[in-house]
Each structure stands twice: as structure tokens, then as C-alpha cells.
């Protein structure tokens, strides 16, 4: 299947971006800076303060990817899918919630925190914010950097939707040590079926750009950004 | 290419297995449902005094397991005695919280294996138990997890990218999840009564089910008999609210229309509906609104959650098995707990088993985040 990658958004320890000329993409381990909804939206999000870091990073990267594609604003809901690959998911939200439930016989359990103990809640928040009615789910994968993107591409190839915001999101957890050099953050791409002239191709196993196989997240992001350069 | 409504390969269901509070295996589940029994009972595995209710449909044998080991025990119960599965079978597990009871151990400062909380560990555990070497991952889409996993698995078969896909839904009743639904005031204070005018909430259950999907070629190669087909599937989001469904049912309408279109059917072809039917005020109203928009007249419909409890990520797989049984027996089980059906469902929802007539059944699930998924099941030609 030929495809187009219409947008990119990222939130990593090295910065945030939506593919603008003055931005530099970087992926790596470390801690994310404090995230506010105004970094990603024109007006403050009413629930952003409740989000755990996983949800903030993922939501932010989806928002930036939509902005990058020029699809941020909407008046009618759109059949755009949302898929994310993750390893740790919302583990920190799980623990934050359970600390409220594990004392006083559960009488003080927080319903607001509980709502974010599903890794898909972040996708639900993005679907509400941007009016996205396509398929939405999380891929839990031990090496999930490209798993969500591949699953998003499959949704298009299998005819389950025409456009997908697909990506990866993983953040630090005090409960579960990251692997050495394991990156942290979120990166999303806006994927659509492409014309015959499109340079991207997905065959269900391999993603290629021209004749080059793209086998990791950083290479994918750099190739998308190279394509977007005015002189490309 | 094989014959099919949309010009893609036929998706057969060739084997299933299920464990719920009603027992182990289809026969126990089907007999329990038809008899109107419920697995809902006072929770024994943790204290419930601080919560808004104390009832769930727990699997009694799991009460004896200590927290942290229940997921493994559930997988063991599910696959004990199951026929062998081709090693290159694609595996899609579907769980919302995997081994979340590990957190309960952490809170008590007991030794924990925290990585067991991670969703992909559920897939690794099942693959290890069955010796599967193919691709695997876990799908997490709240209470539509297994339904979506089935849709994704069916897509792989339909597109001739796999000949064998195992979908396994599983979730536990844990204090973590129980306390959360209590905090949301989503649990019934009385009895789970799906589609009843006096319904006041859901009650949780636990369970696991597997559905083995195969292509026509896979069936021939393994000499497996088709138990039925997965004829259509659709997935759509409400884009409305995180924990409440859209009152118009727009996401469920979209998903169901996609499923019918993929199956090459009209609403009139559907003999019955296995609804999500949680017993919550808003979910059940949303479903009746959505179904009334699509179906005229409404076919017979039911929910099993008054019997099994709401089994969360597993419910789509469990209900697919019930749906195939319904098509085989041409009968849908009673909606346990029902006294007086909601207007709009009268004469179509019953506390008694209902005879049906036809080859197709719709089964749907919806979840937090506003996600909806619909499957169209087709009766086996051998039934």
C-alpha cells in the first residue's frame, strides 16, 4: 500500500515539535519538561491538569501531529483513527490512583484519577478534543516503538479507516525502571492512503521510503522531516 | 480469493474456550445462562465495606489464589485441555488491566512482579503457555478490547495475511478496578438489571475466553470444523466523553453500520443482538437509541452481564462465544435480572430465553474513551 505521511508531532526530553523548519527532532532517554495544554492548544484544556504524564505527552503529540497536517481545527467530526503503541502505558496513573484507594478502605478512591488508569483514555481525550470518530486502541508491545504505527497502517490497508493518527508513547515510571537508553516521550504521525506516486509504502511487514527500509522510530521521524523540507 | 460478501477471505471460528463465574467451558456457560443463573455473589477476596457495593461475579477457584497469581491461574483454567494450536498462529490478547493485582501486593509492601501489570505480559504469558512463536501483542480498548481484537484478527484472515489468529480476552476482578468503579458510582447498589427501567448500575465480573479464527485454507490444513463465521466488523469512537457514552449512540451506530456493510447485510438480516447491556443507566439507553436508529423492527436482544458480570476486556470474546451458541441453538439466553424492560426494548428483551430465526447475530461492546465495536456472527453451515 502506498501511503502519505501528512503530519508529525513529538514530545520528548529533547523538545516538542510539529515539523516546523526551526525545530529539531530528537529521541532519547530522560525526563520530560513540565507540559501545559497551551503548548498544544490555542485555549487551555479543562482536564489537562488531571492527565498523567503519559496522557499529557501522548495527547500533546497527537495535537502537534494534527497541527502539522493542518487538521487541528474542525467543525464536523471526522473518521480519523487513533492508535498508540506503548510498553509501560499509564503505570504511573495506576499507582497514583491506587494510593488513593488503598487507604481508608477505599472510601477516598479518586474517580478522577481512576478514569486515567486506562492507556486508551489519552486517545479518548484526543478524540473528543479533535472530533475523531475512527477506530481507537492501544497496542501493548514489549518493543512498541513502531507497533502502534504499523497497526495504524494496517487499519488503512484493511479498509477500517482512511486516515489515522498513529504513534508511540512511553514515559518514565518510578515503579518500573526503563531499560538502558530507553527513549521517553511520544511521537505521532498522520497517515493516509497515498497515490501511486507516493514514496512511502507499507506491505504489512516493512515500511519503506523510496527504496529504504525504515525500521526504527527515529529514522521514520527524520525521513518525514526531510520530506517536509522546502527543498525536498 | 474465496467467496465472501466483500470479495475477501472467509473468517471461520474453529475453536473456542471460556471461563466465567458460571463455570468452565461453553456447556457450563450456556446451561447457566439458559437457566437464568447468576455468578454474582458477595466478594470474598478483598474487603468491600468501604465501597458502594460488595458483589461481583468472581470465579470461585481464583479466590484461593493469592493476588499476583490469579491471572496465570485464569490462563491455566482457560487452556487446560485445549487442543494444540499451530505455533505460527498470530496471538492477540485483550485485557484492560492484566495482572493489576500486583499493585495490591505493592501497596501491602509484599514482593511483587510489577512487569506483570503491563499488557504485553498477558500476550507473552499466553504465548508461553501455548508454545506460540508467531506475532503477538495485547489490544487495550477498555471494555471493547476483545471485540476490537477480534475485528483486527478477522481482518488479517480476510486479507489473507494469516491463516490462524488466536484472540484471547481476559480480565480479573481486582480491588483496583472494583474500587474505581465504586468511586465512579457506577456499581449497582442492588441487582444488575440490564435494560430494566429500574437498572442502577453495572456489577463487575471476571473471565477469560479464547476464539481461534482460521481461513478456509487453515481449516483444510488442520482439518478443523467451522463453528461459525465472523462475517462483519466495525469500530468507531463517539468523540463525546471519557466515561459516558454519547446519548445519540453515534459511535455505536457507525460501528454497527460498518459491520453490516462489511458482511454485505441489511439490518433485516440480523436475527438477534447480543448487546453490551451493562445495566448502567446511560449505556443501556444509548444502546437502545442506537439500535432503534438502525433496526426497524428491533430484533430480539439480550445481555449476559446480569449473569457473568461485566468482564471488561474479556467480554467481547465471551459474548462472541455466546452469540455463536445462540445461532447454533436458534435461541438467545434470558437477560438475567430483568423485571420490566425499558421502553423501546419491550417485547424484544426478556427474562426468558427467546427463540430466534436466522443466520446472523450482532454482538456489540462499548467502553471508556467512547469506543464502540460491532461484530456480525454467521451461523455455521453445518448447524
Amino acid at each position: 500500500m502506498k501511503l502519505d505521511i501528512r503530519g508529525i508531532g513529538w514530545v520528548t526530553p529533547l523538545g516538542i515539535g510539529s515539523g516546523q523548519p526551526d525545530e529539531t527532532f530528537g529521541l532519547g532517554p530522560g525526563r520530560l519538561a513540565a507540559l501545559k495544554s497551551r503548548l498544544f492548544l490555542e485555549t487551555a484544556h479543562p482536564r489537562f491538569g488531571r492527565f498523567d504524564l503519559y496522557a499529557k505527552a501522548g495527547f500533546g503529540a497527537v495535537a502537534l501531529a494534527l497541527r502539522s497536517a493542518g487538521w487541528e481545527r474542525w467543525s464536523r467530526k471526522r473518521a480519523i483513527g487513533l492508535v498508540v503503541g506503548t510498553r509501560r502505558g499509564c503505570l504511573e496513573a495506576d499507582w497514583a490512583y491506587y494510593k488513593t484507594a488503598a487507604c481508608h478502605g477505599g472510601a477516598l478512591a479518586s474517580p478522577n484519577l481512576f478514569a486515567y488508569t486506562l492507556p486508551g483514555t489519552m486517545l479518548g481525550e484526543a478524540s473528543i478534543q479533535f472530533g475523531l470518530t475512527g477506530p481507537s486502541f492501544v497496542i501493548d508491545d514489549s518493543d512498541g516503538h513502531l507497533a502502534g504505527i504499523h497497526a495504524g497502517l494496517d487499519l488503512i490497508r484493511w479498509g477500517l479507516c482512511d486516515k489515522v493518527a498513529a504513534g508511540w508513547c512511553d514515559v518514565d515510571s518510578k515503579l518500573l525502571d526503563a531499560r538502558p537508553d530507553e527513549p521517553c516521550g511520544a511521537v505521532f504521525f498522520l497517515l493516509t492512503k497515498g497515490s501511486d506516486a507516493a514514496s512511502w509504502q507499507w506491505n504489512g511487514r516493512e515500511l519503506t521510503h523510496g527504496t529504504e527500509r525504515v525500521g526504527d522510530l527515529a529514522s521514520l521521524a527524520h525521513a518525514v522531516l526531510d520530506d517536509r523540507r522546502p527543498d525536498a | 480469493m474465496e467467496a465472501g460478501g466483500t470479495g475477501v477471505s472467509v473468517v471461520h471460528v474453529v475453536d473456542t474456550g471460556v471461563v466465567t463465574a458460571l463455570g468452565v467451558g461453553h456447556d457450563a456457560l450456556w446451561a447457566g445462562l439458559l437457566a437464568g443463573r447468576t455468578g454474582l455473589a458477595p466478594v470474598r477476596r478483598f474487603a468491600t465495606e468501604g465501597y458502594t457495593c460488595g458483589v461481583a461475579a468472581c470465579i470461585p477457584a481464583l479466590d484461593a489464589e493469592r493476588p499476583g497469581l490469579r491471572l496465570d491461574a485464569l490462563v491455566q483454567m482457560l487452556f487446560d485441555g485445549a487442543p494444540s494450536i499451530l505455533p505460527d498462529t498470530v496471538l492477540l490478547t485483550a485485557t484492560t488491566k492484566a495482572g493489576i493485582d500486583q499493585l495490591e501486593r505493592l501497596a501491602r509492601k509484599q514482593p511483587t512482579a510489577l512487569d506483570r501489570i503491563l499488557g504485553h505480559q498477558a500476550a507473552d504469558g499466553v504465548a508461553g503457555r501455548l508454545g506460540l512463536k508467531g506475532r503477538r501483542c495485547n489490544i487495550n480498548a477498555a471494555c471493547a478490547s476483545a471485540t476490537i481484537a477480534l475485528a483486527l484478527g478477522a481482518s488479517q484472515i480476510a486479507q489473507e495475511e494469516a491463516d490462524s489468529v488466536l484472540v484471547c480476552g481476559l480480565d480479573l476482578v481486582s480491588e483496583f478496578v472494583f474500587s474505581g468503579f465504586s468511586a465512579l458510582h457506577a456499581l449497582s447498589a442492588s441487582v444488575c438489571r440490564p435494560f430494566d427501567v429500574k437498572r442502577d448500575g453495572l456489577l463487575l465480573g471476571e473471565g477469560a475466553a479464547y476464539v481461534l479464527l482460521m481461513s478456509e485454507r487453515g481449516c483444510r490444513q488442520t482439518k478443523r470444523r467451522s463453528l461459525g463465521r465472523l462475517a462483519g466488523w466495525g469500530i468507531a469512537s463517539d468523540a463525546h466523553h471519557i466515561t459516558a457514552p454519547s446519548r445519540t449512540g453515534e459511535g455505536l451506530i457507525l460501528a454497527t453500520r460498518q459491520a453490516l456493510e462489511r458482511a454485505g447485510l441489511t439490518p433485516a438480516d440480523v436475527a438477534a443482538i447480543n448487546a453490551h447491556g451493562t445495566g448502567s443507566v446511560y449505556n443501556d439507553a444509548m444502546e437502545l437509541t442506537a439500535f432503534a436508529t438502525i433496526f426497524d423492527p428491533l430484533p430480539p436482544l439480550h445481555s449476559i452481564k446480569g449473569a457473568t458480570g461485566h468482564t471488561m476486556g474479556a467480554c467481547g470474546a465471551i459474548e462472541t462465544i455466546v452469540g455463536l451458541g445462540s445461532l447454533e441453538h436458534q435461541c438467545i439466553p434470558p437477560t438475567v435480572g430483568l423485571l420490566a424492560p425499558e421502553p423501546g426494548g419491550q417485547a424484544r428483551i426478556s427474562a426468558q430465553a427467546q427463540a430466534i430465526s436466522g443466520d446472523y447475530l450482532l454482538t456489540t461492546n462499548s467502553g471508556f474513551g467512547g469506543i464502540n465495536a460491532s461484530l456480525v456472527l454467521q451461523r455455521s453451515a453445518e448447524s
Side-chain angles (χ1 to χ4, degrees):
Chain A
M1 176 189 77
K2 293 281 193 176
L3 67 128
D4 286 330
I5 302 182
R6 301 290 186 90
I8 177 173
W10 68 87
V11 177
T12 76
L14 304 177
I16 68 172
S18 58
Q20 302 307 305
D22 58 340
E23 296 167 346
T24 304
F25 174 82
L27 195 62
R31 296 196 68 81
L32 295 173
L35 300 174
K36 306 280 187 192
S37 65
R38 291 296 296 272
L39 289 168
F40 313 114
L41 305 173
E42 291 175 355
T43 56
H45 188 287
R47 293 181 299 280
F48 199 79
R50 291 183 194 173
F51 294 9
D52 66 329
L53 192 57
Y54 162 85
K56 286 179 177 175
F59 179 96
V62 171
L64 292 169
L66 288 163
R67 180 186 299 172
S68 163
W71 295 357
E72 188 179 22
R73 294 182 181 174
W74 58 285
S75 55
R76 296 184 64 181
K77 292 181 182 179
R78 304 164 286 178
I80 298 174
L82 279 164
V83 187
V84 64
T86 186
R87 191 170 81 86
R88 287 180 295 249
C90 55
L91 191 56
E92 281 298 300
D94 290 349
W95 184 232
Y97 162 72
Y98 197 61
K99 283 192 289 190
T100 71
C103 54
H104 305 291
L108 301 178
S110 165
N112 289 342
L113 287 175
F114 182 66
Y116 294 91
T117 63
L118 286 170
T121 300
M122 174 266 284
L123 301 178
E125 289 284 12
S127 79
I128 295 165
Q129 179 69 30
F130 298 107
L132 311 180
T133 61
S136 172
F137 56 89
V138 178
I139 296 269
D140 296 308
D141 194 285
S142 58
D143 186 16
H145 296 172
L146 287 178
I149 295 153
H150 291 170
L153 291 167
D154 281 337
L155 285 181
I156 298 171
R157 202 161 51 95
W158 296 337
L160 286 161
C161 65
D162 296 328
K163 303 181 181 81
V164 181
W168 157 84
C169 184
D170 250 319
V171 297
D172 269 351
S173 166
K174 297 182 198 76
L175 297 182
L176 208 60
D177 290 338
R179 298 163 179 164
D181 301 324
E182 186 173 358
C184 161
V187 186
F188 272 77
F189 302 88
L190 257 295
L191 313 170
T192 67
K193 189 174 270 191
S195 68
D196 287 343
S199 59
W200 292 94
Q201 190 156 345
W202 168 243
N203 65 8
R205 293 179 306 280
E206 284 192 343
L207 179 62
T208 52
H209 183 225
T211 57
E212 295 286 317
R213 177 179 174 273
V214 180
D216 65 86
L217 185 61
S219 301
L220 173 58
H222 285 301
V224 170
L225 292 171
D226 285 348
D227 270 0
R228 293 170 65 90
R229 283 211 310 251
D231 56 345
Chain B
M1 288 287 180
E2 296 154 359
T6 54
V8 294
S9 293
V10 170
V11 182
H12 294 281
V13 176
V14 299
D15 192 21
T16 61
V18 61
V19 184
T20 68
L22 291 178
V24 179
H26 322 83
D27 292 349
L29 175 61
W30 186 253
L33 291 173
L34 278 193
R37 282 203 294 273
T38 181
L40 291 161
V43 174
R44 296 166 53 197
R45 65 182 61 161
F46 51 81
T48 59
E49 286 75 13
Y51 304 128
T52 56
C53 95
V55 173
C58 297
I59 296 167
L62 295 183
D63 283 338
E65 298 287 345
R66 66 178 169 84
L69 296 180
R70 291 193 179 114
L71 197 70
D72 288 343
L74 182 60
V75 170
Q76 178 76 26
M77 289 173 77
L78 178 64
F79 289 107
D80 193 24
S84 64
I85 294 171
L86 291 172
D88 61 350
T89 293
V90 175
L91 171 64
L92 299 175
T93 56
T95 177
T96 60
K97 295 310 298 178
I100 193 66
D101 52 353
Q102 292 282 352
L103 271 194
E104 297 166 18
R105 294 180 60 78
L106 181 69
R108 294 177 192 127
K109 302 192 184 333
Q110 296 169 333
T112 54
L114 279 174
D115 58 344
R116 301 305 308 276
I117 297 172
L118 305 181
H120 73 83
Q121 288 274 336
D124 292 350
V126 171
R129 169 77 176 76
L130 300 175
L132 301 182
K133 309 291 185 198
R135 286 174 286 138
R136 63 175 180 268
C137 67
N138 183 68
I139 304 298
N140 193 331
C143 300
S145 296
T147 328
I148 289 178
L150 281 160
L152 299 177
S155 294
Q156 294 185 53
I157 302 270
Q159 297 294 324
E160 299 183 334
E161 292 172 11
D163 284 322
S164 179
V165 178
L166 179 68
V167 175
C168 176
L170 62 169
D171 258 324
L172 295 171
V173 170
S174 62
E175 187 164 12
F176 181 99
V177 173
F178 194 93
S179 63
F181 277 92
S182 171
L184 288 170
H185 293 279
L187 298 178
S188 170
S190 55
V191 174
C192 178
R193 302 187 190 283
F195 298 112
D196 193 281
V197 290
K198 291 189 176 175
R199 66 190 183 278
D200 64 353
L202 61 85
L203 289 172
L204 293 171
E206 66 190 355
Y210 74 83
V211 178
L212 182 60
L213 305 174
M214 272 195 185
S215 65
E216 192 80 41
R217 181 170 54 200
C219 290
R220 281 197 304 272
Q221 286 175 348
T222 58
K223 298 184 171 54
R224 298 267 196 171
R225 185 176 72 92
S226 178
L227 307 174
R229 294 179 179 184
L230 222 169
W233 48 92
I235 312 167
S237 300
D238 290 338
H240 170 72
H241 193 276
I242 285 302
T243 56
S246 161
R247 294 198 181 200
T248 65
E250 56 192 315
L252 182 57
I253 292 168
L254 273 173
T256 300
R257 286 186 169 148
Q258 288 169 18
L260 290 169
E261 183 179 353
R262 190 172 290 270
L265 301 176
T266 68
D269 296 315
V270 174
I273 301 172
N274 176 98
H276 192 46
T278 62
S280 77
V281 171
Y282 295 113
N283 173 82
D284 294 6
M286 176 278 286
E287 285 192 89
L288 287 177
T289 299
F291 295 143
T293 304
I294 298 168
F295 297 97
D296 183 20
L298 190 67
L301 74 93
H302 76 119
S303 162
I304 68 167
K305 291 188 174 69
T308 62
H310 187 343
T311 53
M312 302 166 281
C315 66
I318 294 169
E319 291 165 21
T320 292
I321 292 169
V322 172
L324 290 169
S326 297
L327 286 169
E328 180 186 352
H329 298 291
Q330 291 288 285
C331 149
I332 57 172
T335 296
V336 174
L338 183 75
L339 293 175
E342 178 81 358
Q346 288 157 327
R348 291 298 175 186
I349 311 170
S350 174
Q352 307 298 319
Q354 299 182 73
I356 64 172
S357 177
D359 293 332
Y360 298 96
L361 181 142
L362 176 74
T363 181
T364 71
N365 297 102
S366 304
F368 279 6
I371 186 66
N372 306 270
S374 301
L375 305 174
V376 175
L377 308 178
Q378 182 179 1
R379 180 159 63 146
S380 166
E382 298 170 32
S383 291

